[in-house]
Amino acid sequence: MLFVTTLVVAIIVILVMTTWLHLQEENEKQSEQVQELVLKEIRAGLVFMGQFYIQQISGYLNEAYRIPNSLAGAIEASLNIPLERSGVEALLRGAINKNDNVSSIYRHFEKNAYDQKDTQYFNGASHSAPRAGSIELYFTRESSGVVQHQIESADAKYSDTRNEFGIRESEWYLCARNNNTPCMMEPYVYEISPGNSMLMTPLTVPIQDGNRFKGLIGVDVNLPELQKLVEELSNSLYEGEAQVSLLSEMGLIAGASHHAGSLGRPLSEVINQSLAQNLQTLHKGSGYTEVGDDIVTSVPVNADLAGVT
């Protein structure tokens, strides 16, 4: 009887332990499956909302890019019978007056590359640089909305002095000149008027005669509009707890929900440097990663004309 009783108790204990272990294993599997499903839903939601706002950001940039692209096409079509320089000046002034989303518009040419009349304007004019005669038109919109007209030195567009990020001072011109392709520059802070600065980025299009670079037309796009979209996206996710950053190709902050005071600066200045490097690699395409308790997802912004993502 003692042996039978011991055997029965042992069998019961074994069955209970086996059942308990099996249940534990099943619970762990179900927990992992539920967690994986939840993370999948979170990721899908982040990507969906990101794509929704990215379409607006891409649309904003691509719409602005149509301005210099259309003007470049018009100028190229008239190179055989060039417009009067005063007509070109009026064309650019009219373009900036009709497009509030750009803060400046400019047109620059190589030496004697437009109408071969640089010598006639060697002493300068409202459309031509003194001591050169080349067309160097530059219109800016001040914070008051007033459009100002400037003439810069013909040599200013060739400056290759580099800033702290290694970007040439005249990258806005040299990029299009060296590559003979449209270029979208890194964001930078520009002082529109004393005490009033704004983050912007240049969008440039080369003017070509066949495949030969003649000059360019460009606009500077105001980025505060993108900052509004970034903040709106952050507020729509998890009661504003989600951090959203819009990064340039180099990793400079073009918009940030939680680091608005660091616009135009590297991401590595506001978060851990090793994490910034990881995210900088991630942001160059669609990506997903988990960093501790944080979930990070990346959605690319496409500027179709410049071929930039």
Side-chain angles (χ1 to χ4, degrees):
M1 290 291 291
L2 179 62
F3 173 76
V4 172
T5 301
T6 302
L7 183 61
V8 171
V9 171
I11 291 173
I12 293 173
V13 170
I14 291 172
L15 288 174
V16 170
M17 289 296 295
T18 302
T19 303
W20 183 80
L21 291 173
H22 179 71
L23 288 174
Q24 284 289 98
E25 184 179 350
E26 286 298 316
N27 285 337
E28 290 179 3
K29 287 182 179 179
Q30 290 182 7
S31 179
E32 290 176 358
Q33 290 174 353
V34 170
Q35 184 177 8
E36 184 178 347
L37 181 61
V38 170
L39 289 176
K40 185 177 180 180
E41 290 296 323
I42 292 175
R43 179 181 178 183
L46 290 173
V47 170
F48 174 78
M49 291 298 294
Q51 289 176 338
F52 175 76
Y53 280 89
I54 287 304
Q55 286 177 358
Q56 296 182 60
I57 292 172
S58 295
Y60 179 79
L61 293 174
N62 287 316
E63 180 182 357
Y65 234 134
R66 293 191 186 99
I67 302 169
N69 193 46
S70 298
L71 290 172
I75 297 300
E76 288 176 352
S78 65
L79 284 177
N80 290 333
I81 307 177
L83 298 172
E84 291 293 329
R85 295 192 178 195
S86 57
V88 176
E89 181 181 344
L91 187 66
L92 264 65
R93 184 184 294 275
I96 192 171
N97 283 331
K98 288 294 185 179
N99 292 279
D100 294 336
N101 58 331
V102 301
S103 57
S104 63
I105 187 168
Y106 37 90
R107 178 184 173 186
H108 300 269
F109 271 90
E110 295 285 278
K111 182 179 179 180
N112 243 1
Y114 179 60
D115 54 7
Q116 292 77 50
K117 295 181 179 179
D118 287 5
T119 55
Q120 296 183 25
Y121 300 100
F122 186 80
N123 293 326
S126 62
H127 42 63
S128 305
R131 295 179 299 280
S134 58
I135 294 181
E136 311 288 345
L137 283 166
Y138 185 42
F139 291 93
T140 60
R141 189 195 318 277
E142 297 191 347
S143 57
S144 62
V146 176
V147 172
Q148 297 288 346
H149 176 210
Q150 304 176 37
I151 294 292
E152 296 186 334
S153 164
D155 296 329
K157 60 181 180 287
Y158 298 119
S159 176
D160 61 358
T161 302
R162 296 182 181 270
N163 64 13
E164 60 180 305
F165 307 127
I167 302 172
R168 294 176 294 185
E169 184 175 336
S170 297
E171 188 70 31
W172 57 272
Y173 187 84
L174 296 176
C175 176
R177 182 175 185 259
N178 295 346
N179 301 307
N180 208 12
T181 59
C183 292
M184 182 170 73
M185 301 294 98
E186 293 289 320
Y188 71 98
V189 177
Y190 177 75
E191 189 173 32
I192 300 175
S193 58
N196 181 29
S197 298
M198 183 177 292
L199 188 71
M200 57 185 63
T201 189
L203 310 176
T204 63
V205 178
I207 297 172
Q208 301 169 323
D209 185 3
N211 290 323
R212 188 158 60 97
F213 178 82
K214 306 282 283 186
L216 64 71
I217 286 185
V219 297
D220 286 336
V221 177
N222 301 330
L223 296 185
E225 184 66 28
L226 304 188
Q227 174 67 14
K228 293 178 184 177
L229 292 174
V230 166
E231 292 176 352
E232 187 177 320
L233 174 56
S234 174
N235 292 332
S236 70
L237 295 169
Y238 309 107
E239 299 180 349
E241 292 298 316
Q243 297 190 21
V244 179
S245 296
L246 179 64
L247 302 180
S248 71
E249 189 173 14
M250 183 181 281
L252 302 184
I253 300 174
S257 60
H258 290 64
H259 307 293
S262 298
L263 298 179
R265 303 300 302 174
L267 182 65
S268 58
E269 290 185 357
V270 296
I271 64 174
N272 179 274
Q273 190 168 4
S274 61
L275 175 59
Q277 291 175 347
N278 184 16
L279 298 184
Q280 189 170 334
T281 301
L282 183 71
H283 97 272
K284 293 184 178 180
S286 297
Y288 170 84
T289 188
E290 294 179 32
V291 182
D293 294 332
D294 296 328
I295 297 173
V296 183
T297 186
S298 171
V299 182
V301 177
N302 296 315
D304 298 331
L305 187 63
V308 174
T309 299

